[in-house]
Amino acid sequence: MTMETARLVEQGRDHKVVSRVVHASKVGYHVSKAIKKRKCGKKIKHSVPSTVPIALQQLFVSCRQVFKGPGTVPSPHDVHNLCSILDNMRPEDVGLSRDLQFFKPKTVVQGTPRVTYTTIYECRNFSLCCFFIPATGVIPLHNHPEMTVFSKLLLGKMHIKSYDWVDPVNSDGSTPAPQFRLAKLKADSVFTSPCDTSVLYPTEGGNIHAFTAITPCAVLDVLGPPYSKEDDRDCSFYKDHPYAAYSNGEAAVTEGNGDCYGWLEEIEMPENSELDKIPYLGPQVNETSC
């Protein structure tokens, strides 16, 4: 194992959504500061500025002020401020451009495209990550336990489907655990960059969601707090089923409104759904300025 590989392994996040760490010579930035798309030899060249883009630094400083650790949810005022910053962020703020080869592929990837991600910054209270999803690539339906997540589509066009649980928590704070749990559909739409930032909360806003890229996409995510097995914030995966398939008149759903609901079945991580981690060599935040 090389020193670079060891460094990447040490920095790997310990949860199922992003559990695969890949050597930079296969997927990642090269000496020429490029991301190479897996299996097709195409690169995303990054032009890394010597100074931190103002928007990226503002985002970092605001996240430090807003996210107070596990068990807390940002106030509406803080949510508005973070959305304002993210809404104005450009791909260049994280070293990307719509002219890069990754976003204009000349050939279609055969089989299931791998999704890659890079971590811009991470601490106990929040993390800043960027996901690169090739056309037809999928991040399957998954949850964000006790987390508030801001997602900004920087580049591309994607379909987003999201749900929130209908059944409330039990009196002891636990949640019901039948084979199928009723969930309300919050989004089932196509989004094209540039578009507004989407926000999901621990119990609302589409906490359980899936991404399917229509064109190559780059998504900037702010997670507060990040996933953590040690803090019982591990990721779970789901398969959705039509409401009518398992209703049997048991759920209190208005007649004719079944299309707004579905049954979610918890499953193991779908095959080929692990994400490949690549090192981040874009603009670095300045931790000493706040």
Side-chain angles (χ1 to χ4, degrees):
M1 177 183 292
T2 65
M3 293 182 63
E4 176 64 9
T5 302
R7 183 179 68 82
L8 292 178
V9 171
E10 290 175 356
Q11 294 177 348
R13 296 172 64 189
D14 188 19
H15 60 78
K16 291 185 287 186
V17 173
V18 287
S19 60
R20 179 184 172 96
V21 179
V22 181
H23 193 282
S25 65
K26 295 181 180 179
V27 181
Y29 296 83
H30 291 246
V31 176
S32 60
K33 299 191 187 326
I35 299 176
K36 184 169 69 175
K37 188 176 178 184
R38 189 179 188 268
K39 296 185 179 180
C40 60
K42 295 181 179 178
K43 299 179 180 179
I44 304 179
K45 297 179 181 178
H46 282 230
S47 177
V48 182
S50 57
T51 58
V52 186
I54 294 175
L56 179 60
Q57 187 64 23
Q58 286 180 332
L59 178 64
F60 170 70
V61 172
S62 294
C63 286
R64 275 199 162 181
Q65 296 170 346
V66 167
F67 292 106
K68 306 301 182 182
T72 62
V73 177
S75 68
H77 175 73
D78 288 335
V79 169
H80 174 76
N81 286 344
L82 279 177
C83 284
S84 296
I85 295 172
L86 285 163
D87 286 345
N88 290 308
M89 289 194 70
R90 305 170 302 155
E92 291 77 11
D93 293 324
V94 291
L96 297 173
S97 167
R98 67 185 69 254
D99 295 325
L100 300 175
Q101 192 173 10
F102 176 85
F103 301 105
K104 295 183 176 181
K106 296 179 180 179
T107 60
V108 178
V109 178
Q110 300 299 316
T112 303
R114 298 288 296 200
V115 178
T116 57
Y117 81 100
T118 189
T119 300
I120 300 170
Y121 180 85
E122 183 171 22
C123 64
R124 175 176 170 79
N125 290 349
F126 70 93
S127 66
L128 308 177
C129 301
C130 198
F131 296 84
F132 303 100
I133 314 175
T136 74
V138 175
I139 298 180
L141 202 61
H142 62 283
N143 69 344
H144 305 80
E146 301 180 29
M147 299 160 65
T148 304
V149 181
F150 297 74
S151 292
K152 169 64 176 179
L153 180 60
L154 293 173
L155 286 167
K157 182 177 182 179
M158 68 161 48
H159 177 265
I160 299 177
K161 191 172 189 179
S162 64
Y163 292 91
D164 285 328
W165 295 122
V166 170
D167 45 337
V169 296
N170 295 325
S171 58
D172 62 358
S174 63
T175 56
Q179 181 180 4
F180 300 98
R181 285 183 63 187
L182 184 64
K184 185 173 183 179
L185 186 66
K186 300 297 293 185
D188 189 9
S189 304
V190 172
F191 296 80
T192 303
S193 66
C195 57
D196 292 342
T197 302
S198 62
V199 187
L200 62 85
Y201 300 91
T203 59
E204 61 181 351
N207 186 278
I208 305 162
H209 68 193
F211 293 162
T212 302
I214 298 172
T215 67
C217 295
V219 183
L220 174 62
D221 264 12
V222 178
L223 294 84
Y227 286 104
S228 171
K229 283 186 177 180
E230 291 75 15
D231 295 327
D232 294 324
R233 289 192 308 277
D234 198 8
C235 182
S236 297
F237 293 88
Y238 300 89
K239 180 178 180 181
D240 57 345
H241 302 271
Y243 168 74
Y246 300 98
S247 59
N248 295 324
E250 296 177 2
V253 174
T254 304
E255 185 177 354
N257 202 29
D259 289 345
C260 296
Y261 295 83
W263 297 98
L264 301 191
E265 175 188 10
E266 185 170 349
I267 61 174
E268 295 296 323
M269 177 189 287
E271 187 176 358
N272 298 322
S273 293
E274 291 178 317
L275 307 192
D276 294 338
K277 182 173 183 178
I278 56 177
Y280 176 70
L281 296 180
Q284 303 291 325
V285 298
N286 183 359
E287 296 185 55
T288 63
S289 67
C290 53

